[in-house]
Amino acid sequence: MRPLTIIGNWKMNGSLANNQLMLETLLAEGHETFKSLYCDLPISLGMCVPYPYLSQAHGLLKNTKVALGAQDVSDHPNGAYTGDVSAAMLQEMGCTYVIVGHSERRQHHQESDDLVARKAKATLQAKMIPIICVGETEKEYENGSTLVVVRKQLQAVIDLLQGQIASCVIAYEPVWAIGTGKVPSPAQAQEVHHQLRLQLATFNAEAAEKVAILYGGSLKADNAKELLAMPDIDGGLVGGASLNTEEFLALCQACI
Ligand code: 13P
């Protein structure tokens, strides 16, 4: 049985004052949902924040059970890559998770499947957990190529990481569901998750059982329970709802 994992992704949102308020409220109000965010939780919880706020968030979250994450990473270890941030730097800032291959990176920064795989490898080498995002666009969904697209995206990572895929988290995020209020039915999402797990199983049965496959895309308190009840949906990658502490905690409440 894989434990549920709920990871927030603030994307490019926040300010010093607002972050402090959100994280302090999360830690203070968390007792309603979890008793305390300082003790062992029934689920794994994390928050992926913009680079400039990692230090602030680490200060507030260290010694709690809310893991810190980043939203991207360079595939290079160091050197002349102006503007990039290495995995070792993120590890030093206290990150446990790094999102790689988010559709917003693939779309706005032309990130290829191979680059995403290299970023996942760099993350693992620095002893953090990559959250590898896959998902089809609306057009691909409409022309029935969802499985072809997500399988290709996942295969590039399996080909590079081989057995290390067992130490990763996968997130299925249909692009058409991100920030739109549209969500696939639980059965539709389950089918994609199941197919991704089968793909992992053709490579390594043990990895397939172990790897958490999260769902992301307009996940909210009022739709989380049904989606996360599906056997191959092991948690959520939460955008908008992670910026509202009450909504985020209500979402956690709905699935524990
Ligand atoms: P929303 O929850 O805002 O749809 O975003 C999902 C997402 O992209 C998380 O990475």
Side-chain angles (χ1 to χ4, degrees):
M1 182 75 181
R2 293 170 297 273
L4 280 180
T5 301
I6 304 285
I7 308 281
N9 172 13
W10 284 357
K11 309 193 178 186
M12 197 175 73
N13 292 292
S15 68
L16 286 172
N18 213 30
N19 306 339
Q20 176 153 1
L21 185 67
M22 280 200 293
L23 293 177
E24 284 181 349
T25 308
L26 181 69
L27 295 174
E29 305 281 312
H31 62 261
E32 305 251 325
T33 315
F34 296 109
K35 293 198 176 65
S36 163
L37 290 171
Y38 295 86
C39 307
D40 282 341
L41 306 180
I43 64 175
S44 297
L45 206 56
M47 202 61 87
C48 296
V49 312
Y51 289 146
Y53 300 134
L54 284 171
S55 172
Q56 180 198 25
H58 179 56
L60 290 160
L61 297 178
K62 68 171 189 275
N63 305 324
T64 78
K65 297 293 174 182
V66 185
L68 182 64
Q71 301 173 9
D72 186 33
V73 65
S74 172
D75 59 321
H76 298 287
N78 59 269
Y81 301 101
T82 303
D84 286 351
V85 174
S86 75
M89 293 172 188
L90 296 177
Q91 198 273 338
E92 200 171 20
M93 296 309 293
C95 289
T96 299
Y97 294 104
V98 181
I99 297 173
V100 299
H102 193 283
S103 61
E104 289 149 14
R105 302 279 329 160
R106 292 180 189 262
Q107 186 187 344
H108 303 307
H109 300 269
Q110 290 73 45
E111 292 196 1
S112 66
D113 294 343
D114 290 342
L115 176 60
V116 172
R118 292 200 302 276
K119 289 183 173 199
K121 193 172 176 81
T123 302
L124 286 165
Q125 274 167 348
K127 310 249 177 303
M128 297 176 294
I129 303 168
I131 301 171
I132 302 154
C133 300
V134 300
E136 81 285 9
T137 63
E138 182 146 45
K139 197 161 155 228
E140 290 161 343
Y141 172 71
E142 277 167 2
N143 70 26
S145 45
T146 298
L147 292 177
V148 174
V149 171
V150 298
R151 282 183 182 136
K152 178 173 168 289
Q153 291 171 335
L154 179 58
Q155 195 59 44
V157 184
I158 295 175
D159 287 346
L160 186 69
L161 298 189
Q162 299 288 308
Q164 285 184 297
I165 192 75
S167 306
C168 299
V169 169
I170 312 285
Y172 169 54
E173 298 204 311
V175 180
W176 51 271
I178 295 177
T180 60
K182 295 189 222 166
V183 279
S185 69
Q188 267 179 321
Q190 160 61 21
E191 176 58 15
V192 179
H193 283 234
H194 180 61
Q195 293 299 331
L196 290 170
R197 201 175 304 285
L198 285 181
Q199 187 179 351
L200 289 169
T202 58
F203 171 71
N204 179 324
E206 219 175 297
E209 271 314 297
K210 194 173 156 228
V211 169
I213 308 180
L214 313 185
Y215 169 79
S218 296
L219 197 62
K220 302 271 182 298
D222 63 7
N223 59 24
K225 201 180 180 75
E226 276 184 305
L227 280 158
L228 274 49
M230 293 290 120
D232 288 298
I233 303 184
D234 306 314
L237 185 55
V238 184
S242 71
L243 293 164
N244 177 326
T245 308
E246 273 175 26
E247 175 74 20
F248 187 67
L249 282 170
L251 190 158
C252 293
Q253 179 81 62
C255 58
I256 58 174

